[in-house]
Amino acid sequence: MKKFLQITLASTLCLSPMAMLAQTIDFTQYGSTQVINSDFEDWNGPEYKNVPVGWHSFESVGGEDELIVNLANSDKHTSKETQGLHEGTIGKSCLKLVPRRIIFAMANGTISTGQMIAGAYVADDPKNHAQMDISVTETSNGTPFYAKLTKRPVALSVWVKFTQGTVQKEHPYATVSAAITNGKYYQEPTADKDSSVVIGYAQNNKIASNGGKWQHLYVPFRYDSPNFNKTDSPKAIMVTFSTNADPGQGSVGDVLLIDDFELIYEQTVTIPERGYAMFTNIAMDNHKAVIPKGLTAYTLENNGSGLPIVKDTYVAGQVLPYNGAVLLKGKPGVYEFKTTLYEKEENVVAEGDICIVKAAELNDPKSDYKYYYLTGENNTLGFYEASYGLKIQANEALLRVKATMAAANYPYVLVQPKMKGDINEDGNLSVADVMSIVNRLLGKIEKGNLMLVDADVNDDNDTTIADAMSLVSKILQ
């Protein structure tokens, strides 16, 4: 029998046995369009082993002046770095970007999803740029000089670590930019006249050294410029990193490490037939997630022995905490979380004795923890151990429990209401239970066992004032 943490009975959820059997969660909070190889883990291109697949630098530089192109051509700007990765990453490598001196000029270390073009000897001449056009069929290292994109992200998220070989007081910053276009020709840097192809734009051109420490950057996309294209749909995105925000102003010894680039979208979650799904706000990074109408969110914490209990309840319109384990309840359907950026960067790390993490962590599981996924089996909704070879979808979230605590409670723990409506578990239906329902509707639920259906007295898969009235009727009877 598979190990699991059973949290409710199918009978209390009014689900059929067929609806409960071995379903996987269908929700897409991680499933939106991303730039290829945005975690910089794939370095197995057919041409260049020190350039990440899907990205391009000076090794594939183009241009009309053959002499300038030959001078600029180099595979020494990019390389794979496996040491000193940022805390929390599940990857094995990151991108190392460095500048290179060409005769008397300094060529900043630059990488892009577009193609690098060398057209002038002077670094800040617009003839030196990165460009993208999805009608161009030319490829390098097995991939084209563009990245397709069909959705509108709200922000980009990326980890960077920047150091200068020689401090440039007048030019102290590295940079990242991302232009979403309708797929027609675009170059970076660009003139205002070219912005008619741009749909959205994000840039941070003030990436400071920060004492040589890793930084987690969040850069919002703007779609409101008067020159931007307001009619076309997104077709492509060009992302560009450089070791200095000003052309030719870096120094030998500059290093920009880049890792875990991610496009952040308005998050959606699909509540399946059983009425529950798992969610982790860590996917939102620095974004506030506002609970949509029709959903109730329960944050979970450890009861001291590995068992999840309800910590707090959040209702529609409230903002989820930016970190922690969350269980969602609602009628089956698709829900969208509206998001806004926090005013300052939050330290978003999945931690604690019990929390919910991205399923991708199974690729490099932590030995101190066990992992469980929410599914239905044998007419029971529960957290089943994820190490039994069952296929885990990339967009699923997992419950992570300290192994020492999990060992004390698994393979079987049952948490269920002894009597529908007996919220305080005193064996009686009373006014105190009615007040508990009212408090839940007001968002004032007390900490307690994970009995998320004990207040659904009328079995409509929702907790409303009607449940309080039904409970009053039962008490009077």
Side-chain angles (χ1 to χ4, degrees), residues 361-382:
E361 189 168 312
L362 276 181
N363 297 330
D364 186 23
K366 300 180 183 299
S367 59
D368 294 339
Y369 295 92
K370 289 189 175 181
Y371 298 84
Y372 301 84
Y373 69 103
L374 182 68
T375 190
E377 190 164 299
N378 299 325
N379 301 331
T380 301
L381 178 67

Side-chain angles (χ1 to χ4, degrees), residues 261-340:
F261 177 89
E262 183 177 13
L263 297 174
I264 307 297
Y265 295 86
E266 298 286 8
Q267 308 296 320
T268 60
V269 58
T270 299
I271 301 295
E273 185 180 350
R274 61 175 169 265
Y276 288 90
M278 290 163 58
F279 182 84
T280 173
N281 200 23
I282 195 171
M284 299 295 216
D285 292 318
N286 206 41
H287 288 62
K288 297 178 183 178
V290 180
I291 300 172
K293 184 178 180 180
L295 287 186
T296 301
Y298 303 89
T299 57
L300 311 180
E301 68 176 8
N302 171 39
N303 73 340
S305 59
L307 179 66
I309 61 174
V310 172
K311 179 181 180 183
D312 295 299
T313 299
Y314 295 82
V315 296
Q318 293 183 318
V319 177
L320 280 174
Y322 70 89
N323 191 9
V326 178
L327 191 62
L328 297 176
K329 175 187 176 184
K331 294 181 179 180
V334 179
Y335 299 83
E336 183 177 272
F337 287 82
K338 296 297 182 182
T339 61
T340 57

Side-chain angles (χ1 to χ4, degrees), residues 347-409:
N347 182 23
V348 185
V349 179
E351 57 186 7
D353 298 332
I354 179 170
C355 60
I356 292 180
V357 297
K358 294 181 181 181
E361 189 168 312
L362 276 181
N363 297 330
D364 186 23
K366 300 180 183 299
S367 59
D368 294 339
Y369 295 92
K370 289 189 175 181
Y371 298 84
Y372 301 84
Y373 69 103
L374 182 68
T375 190
E377 190 164 299
N378 299 325
N379 301 331
T380 301
L381 178 67
F383 288 109
Y384 289 73
E385 192 165 342
S387 58
Y388 272 81
L390 296 179
K391 184 177 180 180
I392 303 298
Q393 302 298 319
N395 60 358
E396 288 191 43
L398 300 175
L399 182 73
R400 191 180 77 186
V401 182
K402 269 198 172 180
T404 53
M405 293 184 173
N409 292 288

